[in-house]
């Protein structure tokens, strides 16, 4: 079986829970559907032919024989490969780290968080256990799709042992703001674990942005349009709002047993002539149940005319009952329901009909269909599928959804009545508005939401996620082709060897030396000076250092190297040691006076940043600033300056952690023109790391070797990772014998 599985290409879906769960009643094992939103999603992708599932079956077998029988049943009948986790491990990993630390933290309940080292260790151990299982099943062409906060270390574990594999990870809960996330003691390990994936998916753009900010702030990883480069591998971070199985649900609604149930319930309601308000949740403190009840209480206080004219059916599924905050919540909800029913109930009418149990989906459907109002009021929710299920059930477009603005679903269901759950007045008045809403208004809102849900259903969601993992792999392999690898390096060296007139353009910062915290800290070390001497000394080489720095600094550092110099991005050039500096154009730096106060304000507002004045340019560097603040303020300054300097002959550039203003028409391409125009060259190499080097790459002949020393879009033919790789290449060139 194992051999077979390894030879086909398949999708391995890994989640804490399998789509089905096992339980034992009266010595008999039973297999049922797992509860909750993630399980709903897994069932929807279960139909995917090539998918297999890996996860916890919710059961610890009594003995080896039972274990084997459970395993065979799950594999053969449900394509599910169980990872058996002992009760002690479940206590620490699932009820512990996952649900007493990560769950409250990611839902902004930081005061509920426990930070227990032993639970963190158990979490690592169980992630390792999943990894071993996955490794047993994995073939070379398989795609892994890992789900949710229980398994955040798994992507990196797989990446380490199968570096070429395709890995996607989807988080079903919110990713909190970096200010919250950074309070986690093991924050770096969690981020590194996730970044083992090729694709990281979140329900909303906000969560993706929070993740990118945390990676920047805590690990220093920058991103470009949602892509992060790690060890020469691209990680894509994107939002994929999860849908539900709308078509499947509509099909179920048409089945006759469900229609019968709907009819029965309808008659019951009709005789009482009461409207139905419905809520359906796991009993979880993130779902805002007490807040909702207080809103309903206020509605009852303010609207006596509605007494005896509605029933609120509140359906709660027991959840994580072994975690203390959940049992406290149960007590609070019980007492609130008792209080409200006691206060407002009368013979023949109780306002809240509270059911503390799970219902099979087909029993839920009639309730959805007949409810006039759905009250979905989580304090935080990754998405919230109940809201989407309610809307989908409304074939006749009748019904009103009241939805919390802090549920992920709110970003797609803007036609709902959106409420701030902490404001009970808001809930009470939304209820009034919902119960009084005309049928035309209901239909107008419902129709728009339904259309969206049918277009972006769970099948669309799952397919687009899997497609995107493949796309990311394609981007990576395209990148691989551009790498100046051993094969291309051999060709470059052999062309270099054969040539007699070689032209070498080298940028300085980020290409020959790594960036220092301050500009003056990047002075050349002795190794670099020797390397440049040895290149410049060879009569067949014409070496030119092409920099954005001011001419005084560049001359002080490299003035004795036998090479040409270009300073201030081409404003100044020095052909060789025997020539003086030449100004490229009739330049003036008078305009700097006007800009200096603006840039100084940013120096003041962003601690760690600084202003550098050049003869014909002025720059604001933010390398040492807090990365998040630096990125934010730099875009703001860039936009501002562009507007401010429109219709002048000044140009604003956003370089590597620097915003610089200089006279238009001055660029590295023009700066090197005096050399390039000589036309005698039989070998040209240009290396640079920044987009200011693009002007140089752009004007080179097609055969020239242009190399970008970092990740990012570029006109260069090749790329290398770091200044260290630049130096290694140049060192090899100096070793070539005549
Ligand atoms: P959950 O927190 O479980 O999911 P939700 O998205 O609302 O929340 O999904 C609940 C699912 O369970 C729904 O399909 C619903 O029909 C079912 N359900 C709820 N109460 C029930 C009851 N009493 N009886 C029977 N079935 C019931 C997590 C995240 C969410 C995210 C999903 C999917 O917390 O934010 O939307 O995963 O990514």
């Amino acid at each position: 079986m194992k051999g077979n599985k390894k030879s086909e290409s398949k999708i391995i879906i890994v989640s804490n829970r399998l789509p089905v769960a096992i339980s034992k009643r009266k010595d008999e094992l039973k297999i049922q559907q797992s509860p909750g939103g993630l399980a709903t999603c897994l069932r929807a992708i279960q139909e995917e032919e090539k998918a297999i599932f890996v996860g916890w079956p919710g059961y610890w077998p009594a003995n080896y024989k039972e274990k084997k029988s459970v395993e065979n049943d799950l594999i053969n009948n449900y394509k599910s490969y169980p990872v058996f986790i002992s009760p002690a491990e479940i206590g620490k990993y699932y009820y512990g780290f996952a649900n007493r630390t990560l769950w409250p933290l990611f839902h902004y309940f930081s005061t509920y968080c426990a930070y227990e080292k032993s639970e963190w260790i158990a979490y690592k151990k169980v992630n390792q256990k999943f990894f071993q299982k996955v490794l047993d099943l994995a073939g070379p062409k398989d795609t892994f799709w890992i789900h949710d906060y229980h398994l955040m270390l798994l992507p990196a574990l797989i990446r380490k042992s199968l570096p070429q594999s395709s890995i996607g990870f989807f988080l079903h809960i919110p990713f909190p703001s970096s200010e919250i996330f950074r309070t986690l003691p093991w924050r770096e390990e969690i981020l590194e674990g996730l970044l083992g994936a090729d694709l990281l998916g979140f329900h909303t753009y906000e969560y993706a942005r929070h993740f990118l900010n945390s990676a920047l702030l805590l690990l220093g990883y920058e991103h470009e349009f949602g892509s992060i480069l790690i060890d020469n591998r691209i990680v894509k971070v994107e939002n994929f709002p999860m849908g539900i199985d709308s078509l499947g649900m509509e099909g179920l609604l048409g089945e006759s047993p469900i229609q019968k149930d709907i009819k029965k319930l309808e008659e019951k309601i009709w005789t009482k002539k009461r409207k139905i308000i419905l809520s359906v949740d796991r009993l979880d403190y993130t779902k805002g149940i007490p807040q909702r009840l207080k809103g309903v209480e206020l509605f009852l206080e303010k609207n006596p005319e509605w007494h005896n004219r509605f029933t609120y059916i509140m359906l709660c599924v027991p959840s994580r009952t072994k975690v203390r905050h959940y049992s406290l919540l149960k007590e609070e909800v019980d007492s609130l329901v008792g209080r409200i029913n006691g206060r407002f109930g009368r013979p023949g009418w109780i306002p809240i009909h509270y059911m503390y149990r799970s219902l099979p989906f087909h029993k839920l459907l009639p309730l959805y269909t007949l409810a006039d109002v759905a009250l979905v009021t989580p304090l935080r929710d990754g998405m919230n599928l109940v809201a989407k299920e309610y809307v989908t059930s409304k074939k006749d477009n009748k019904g009103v959804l009241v939805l919390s603005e802090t549920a992920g679903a709110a970003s797609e269901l803007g036609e709902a009545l959106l409420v701030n759950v902490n404001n009970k007045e808001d809930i009470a008045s939304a209820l009034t508005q919902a119960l009084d809403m005309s049928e035309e208004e209901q239909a107008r809102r419902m129709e728009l939401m339904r259309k969206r849900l049918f277009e972006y259903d769970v099948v669309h969601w799952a397919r687009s996620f899997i497609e995107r993992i493949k796309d990311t792999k394609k981007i990576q392999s395209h990148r691989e082709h551009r790498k100046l690898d051993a094969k291309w390096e051999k060709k470059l060296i052999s062309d270099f060897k054969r040539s007699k007139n070689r032209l070498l353009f080298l940028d300085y910062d980020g290409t020959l030396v790594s960036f220092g915290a301050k500009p003056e800290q990047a002075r050349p070390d002795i190794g670099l000076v020797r390397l440049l001497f040895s290149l410049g000394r060879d009569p067949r080489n014409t070496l030119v250092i092409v920099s954005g720095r001011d001419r005084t600094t560049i001359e002080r550092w490299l003035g004795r190297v036998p090479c040409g110099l270009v300073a201030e991005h081409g404003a100044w050039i020095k052909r060789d040691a025997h020539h003086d500096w030449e100004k490229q154009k009739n330049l003036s730096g008078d305009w700097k006076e006007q800009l200096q106060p603006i840039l100084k304000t940013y120096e003041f507002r962003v601690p760690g940043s600084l202003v550098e004045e050049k003869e014909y340019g002025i720059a604001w560097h933010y390398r040492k600033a807090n990365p998040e603040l630096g990125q934010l303020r730099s875009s703001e300054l860039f936009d501002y300056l562009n507007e401010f300097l429109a219709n002048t002959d000044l140009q604003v550039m956003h370089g590597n952690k620097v915003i610089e203003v200089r006279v238009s028409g001055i660029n590295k391409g023009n700066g090197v023109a005096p050399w390039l125009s000589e036309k005698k060259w039989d070998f040209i190499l240009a290396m640079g790391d920044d987009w200011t080097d693009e002007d140089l790459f752009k004007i080179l002949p097609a055969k020239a070797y242009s190399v970008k020393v970092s990740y990012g879009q570029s006109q260069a033919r090749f790329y290398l990772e770091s200044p260290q790789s630049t130096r290694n290449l140049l060192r090899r060139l100096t070793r070539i014998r005549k």
Side-chain angles (χ1 to χ4, degrees), residues 36-38 40 103 172-173 203 242 280-282 287 315-317 357-359 361 364 368 381-386 389:
L38 171 61
T40 309
W103 176 271
H172 289 259
I173 62 174
H203 279 303
M242 186 178 148
V280 179
D281 324 78
R282 282 184 304 102
K287 303 287 180 186
L315 188 58
C316 289
V317 200
R357 64 180 142 112
S358 177
L359 281 187
F361 197 61
L364 253 182
Y368 279 142
D381 214 333
M383 172 53 73
N384 195 294
L385 301 182
V386 168
E389 287 167 1

Side-chain angles (χ1 to χ4, degrees), residues 568 588-599 612-619 650 661-662:
E568 291 197 29
S588 147
D590 297 348
W591 52 270
K592 282 188 304 176
E593 263 176 45
Q594 262 184 298
L595 291 190
Q596 215 235 21
I598 301 174
L599 267 60
E612 183 195 7
E613 255 197 66
K614 305 176 183 182
E615 272 172 281
Y616 299 110
I618 186 162
L650 296 174
V661 182
R662 56 181 155 92

Side-chain angles (χ1 to χ4, degrees), residues 86-125:
S86 73
E89 283 169 332
I90 281 294
K92 290 193 168 231
Y93 140 82
Y94 179 75
Y95 291 110
F97 194 72
N99 285 316
R100 288 205 314 150
T101 308
L102 294 174
W103 176 271
L105 187 74
F106 280 40
H107 287 86
Y108 294 72
F109 279 78
S110 37
T111 53
Y112 283 27
C113 290
Y115 298 116
E116 280 292 331
K117 181 116 192 247
S118 63
E119 292 180 354
W120 162 243
I121 290 170
Y123 182 83
K124 290 208 285 189
K125 212 170 129 198

